[in-house]
Amino acid sequence: MVHLAVALEGAGWHPAAWREPDARPDELFRPRYWADLVIEAEHGLLDFVTIEDSLGAPRDGRTDRVDGRLDAVLIAARVAPLTRHIGFLPTAIATHTEPFHLSKAIATLDYVSTGRGGVRVRIASSPDDAAHFGRREFPVPLPDLAEEAGDWVEVVRRLWDSWEDDAEIRDTATGRFIDRDKLHYIDFTGRFFSVKGPSITPRPPQGQPPVAVLSHVAEIHRLAARSADLVFLTPQDADDARALGQEVRGLREDLLVFGDVVVFLDETEQAARDRKARLDDRAKFTSDALVFTGTPAQLADQLLAWRDAGLSGFRLRPGALPHDLTAITRGLVPELQQRGAFRREYEAGTLRGLLGLERPANRYAGATR
């Protein structure tokens, strides 16, 4: 069995996707649009969705691209209660966001989704992004940004554990709502943060919502090994998938390794190629990940070859929405099911459960305040 997720980005990953006949550019900033996408993904029994986010707008002077975006964590919190099974990994920018704020935001997402929240951690290295905040000079070397992100995740994880699972008493007879002995200071002091804690939000339903990282280079591989539950890689072929998977698992054996692929899918390979060519005529498209153009059956062949090369699952980036999302849920998923490679029903009620991750013990349980 493979794990399968989709990465949601605006009208799709191609910059001209908003001009497609079935696109909904007038709804990109409305909750119904995002709800419809995630509900479709859940109908396809996918493990989770990621929602892209960034701090910078395009600065090339063009007016033919989608500009502006909603906050990914807030989108997830709005849409999650409308679903029952699928997980949510919204993007959070660690570089310029306080870990205390994000710890309670993701804990809240885990509560409103009843145990299906998580976070994809992203680094922001652009001086333009830093200029929004004006707190420090950029550029900053990537190793320093990666170390900071690692500390950021460590603070977030400690804050999630700063309430023991049974810290809430809620005893109206005695008037005690919480057991103060089961709330803990985290007392984290490092190069980038000094955070005392505890959180103001009780421990999330999953204990530790899953953390993901997209990695292209050794510094971020090390960040993933230190801090994440799963890592997204961008192999170009099966040999590359095997080599990259071995590289990150050499740092930590139990890390879940997903391969990212941008997909343009149609009933025939030629139809998919023609549609992508039409989009390319309108706007130049480049990607860090492999760009696949073909049929759902052909994509299934490739994904299973990468699975055999050692990957745990796949995060697919639909080139245009909703076309390529429905091609995944209504074309690729049945193809994988027929090959015995994908679930026919959800088998767990939490995102950790879907990913095969145990609920971890609280690191502070039993410790004195």
Side-chain angles (χ1 to χ4, degrees):
M1 293 290 177
V2 299
H3 295 291
L4 204 59
V6 291
L8 299 179
E9 163 71 319
W13 284 81
H14 197 290
W18 67 278
R19 300 171 66 183
E20 284 293 275
D22 60 348
R24 296 159 61 183
D26 57 334
E27 299 180 58
L28 292 178
F29 304 131
R30 298 178 185 175
R32 186 72 255 170
Y33 173 77
W34 295 95
D36 288 347
L37 296 178
V38 177
I39 289 169
E40 178 64 33
E42 185 172 67
H43 285 163
L45 306 177
L46 304 189
D47 289 74
F48 59 86
V49 297
T50 64
I51 303 171
E52 293 303 300
D53 209 344
S54 69
L55 299 173
R59 297 180 181 273
D60 56 8
R62 299 187 63 155
T63 60
D64 60 345
R65 311 289 179 94
V66 172
D67 201 350
R69 61 172 69 245
L70 300 179
D71 183 275
V73 176
L74 295 180
I75 291 172
R78 174 64 174 81
V79 173
L82 304 178
T83 63
R84 297 179 56 196
H85 303 286
I86 196 165
F88 292 82
L89 287 172
T91 298
I93 314 300
T95 310
H96 300 294
T97 309
E98 292 295 333
F100 187 91
H101 294 158
L102 258 294
S103 73
K104 69 187 186 72
I106 300 303
T108 299
L109 172 61
D110 207 36
Y111 274 103
V112 301
S113 66
T114 59
R116 294 177 285 121
V119 62
R120 179 217 153 185
V121 176
R122 182 175 179 181
I123 288 171
S125 59
S126 166
D128 289 333
D129 292 353
H132 293 315
F133 303 90
R135 294 180 179 174
R136 53 180 170 164
E137 294 296 322
F138 265 65
V140 173
L142 181 59
D144 288 354
L145 292 174
E147 182 184 351
E148 178 187 46
D151 282 2
W152 187 94
V153 176
E154 180 64 19
V155 172
V156 168
R157 288 191 181 279
R158 291 191 189 195
L159 288 167
W160 286 338
D161 276 350
S162 64
W163 290 51
E164 294 186 35
D165 290 317
D166 55 352
E168 299 166 78
I169 301 172
R170 303 189 186 123
D171 189 340
T172 57
T174 64
R176 295 180 70 206
F177 186 83
I178 60 172
D179 183 345
R180 293 293 303 178
D181 291 332
K182 295 189 176 183
L183 271 61
H184 300 276
Y185 298 122
I186 71 168
D187 288 325
F188 182 93
T189 301
R191 178 182 172 192
F192 304 97
F193 304 103
S194 178
V195 180
K196 188 173 185 61
S199 177
I200 63 171
T201 306
R203 194 176 193 230
Q206 295 180 97
Q208 290 283 321
V211 175
V213 172
L214 170 65
S215 182
H216 302 100
V217 296
E219 291 90 344
I220 310 303
H221 291 351
R222 288 191 288 271
L223 168 63
R226 172 189 172 186
S227 303
D229 299 289
L230 61 156
V231 59
F232 305 127
L233 303 176
T234 53
Q236 299 299 306
D237 54 38
D239 289 340
D240 198 23
R242 181 177 294 104
L244 287 172
Q246 290 173 348
E247 184 177 350
V248 296
R249 287 202 176 100
L251 299 172
R252 204 181 94 210
E253 181 62 34
D254 65 342
L255 198 59
L256 293 175
V257 181
F258 278 54
D260 269 25
V261 186
V262 182
V263 297
F264 296 87
L265 300 172
D266 256 300
E267 294 182 359
T268 67
E269 182 177 357
Q270 189 59 51
R273 291 184 181 278
D274 290 345
R275 184 166 61 89
K276 182 176 180 295
R278 184 177 70 248
L279 288 165
D280 289 342
D281 286 341
R282 293 172 172 170
K284 181 180 179 181
F285 175 60
T286 60
S287 177
D288 57 322
L290 177 72
V291 178
F292 178 89
T293 307
T295 68
Q298 290 171 328
L299 179 58
D301 291 339
Q302 177 162 308
L303 298 185
L304 294 181
W306 286 16
R307 176 202 63 180
D308 294 343
L311 297 190
S312 310
F314 307 95
R315 186 176 71 144
L316 305 180
R317 308 180 189 178
L321 293 168
H323 181 103
D324 292 304
L325 174 60
T326 56
I328 291 167
T329 58
R330 305 178 192 188
L332 175 66
V333 166
E335 183 71 31
L336 291 172
Q337 288 172 331
Q338 291 174 8
R339 303 187 194 196
F342 194 67
R343 66 169 63 89
R344 292 185 178 273
E345 62 182 14
Y346 281 107
E347 67 277 0
T350 68
L351 178 53
R352 291 189 70 91
L354 291 176
L355 295 173
L357 301 171
E358 297 292 332
R359 188 179 190 273
N362 188 316
R363 75 190 71 194
Y364 299 117
T368 59
R369 294 181 73 245

